[in-house]
Amino acid sequence: LVGDAVSAWEKVFKKADLELLLDHKGGTLLGRFDPTLIRVMMDNLIDNALHFSRSKKSGLPHSYEGVNVRLRGENGKGIIIVDDTGIGIPPTMRSKIFKRFYRGRDIALTNSAGLGLGLTMVRKIVRAHGGSVRAEENPSLAAHYPVKVRGARLIVELPIS
């Protein structure tokens, strides 16, 4: 399901001059998932990352252009990690981004349209599957660009069988 979603977005990312990478070294994760809802969840995570990521024109090193989706299995959980190269999410806003109609104060910096519903839907879908979702700073960017570039990491944890 995750791979299908990533594949469906590849042309959009190419047109935006961004990379979309999938790392699923953790193999296939099996669980009781509603495939339609998981696809909606993935589409919203990827679309959000697309809107906030920096393109090749941003001047970042090549390895920091775009979105990286990783799939892992740990301790009975399927973990989906979506890293972007955008403006990041300040710690005080990380719980708020999942609230309906919430749009960050730095949204004007991104040319991003939206109603603030995508991550709300992600949270509802994840909870309906018995999981959790949280936002963090993208550590690979923060280590190299402590002020100008933060990037975001969204982590979804779902129970697997």
Side-chain angles (χ1 to χ4, degrees):
L1 295 171
V2 173
D4 291 343
V6 169
S7 294
W9 281 89
E10 286 175 346
K11 287 182 183 178
V12 176
F13 272 74
K14 187 171 184 159
K15 186 175 180 181
D17 201 21
L18 290 166
E19 290 199 50
L20 176 59
L21 305 172
L22 173 62
D23 172 1
H24 53 87
K25 292 177 188 162
T28 302
L29 304 177
L30 303 174
R32 291 187 160 175
F33 306 122
D34 179 316
T36 302
L37 290 178
I38 295 298
R39 178 58 188 265
V40 169
M41 177 194 78
M42 287 305 305
D43 284 345
N44 277 291
L45 288 169
I46 293 169
D47 183 56
N48 189 74
L50 169 69
H51 286 295
F52 291 97
S53 286
R54 299 168 193 269
S55 74
K56 293 176 183 175
K57 298 172 185 122
S58 70
L60 291 175
H62 182 69
S63 59
Y64 299 114
E65 298 161 355
V67 174
N68 188 8
V69 178
R70 289 183 286 145
L71 190 58
R72 300 282 185 268
E74 292 178 10
N75 303 322
K77 295 179 184 176
I79 302 171
I80 302 165
I81 300 169
V82 180
D83 287 335
D84 71 35
T85 56
I87 60 175
I89 306 165
T92 58
M93 291 187 199
R94 291 185 188 150
S95 63
K96 296 175 186 177
I97 63 169
F98 299 103
K99 293 181 180 175
R100 190 169 27 154
F101 302 119
Y102 183 79
R103 307 265 295 155
R105 69 172 185 254
D106 294 333
I107 200 77
L109 301 173
T110 67
N111 295 327
S112 177
L115 297 173
L117 295 173
L119 293 178
T120 301
M121 290 194 309
V122 166
R123 183 178 64 178
K124 287 185 180 288
I125 291 167
V126 169
R127 286 183 174 173
H129 285 85
S132 64
V133 61
R134 68 183 183 277
E136 297 177 353
E137 183 175 85
N138 180 342
S140 62
L141 286 180
H144 297 286
Y145 299 94
V147 177
K148 292 170 63 177
V149 180
R150 283 298 197 211
R153 169 174 282 178
L154 294 175
I155 302 170
V156 172
E157 295 182 354
L158 297 169
I160 57 175
S161 42

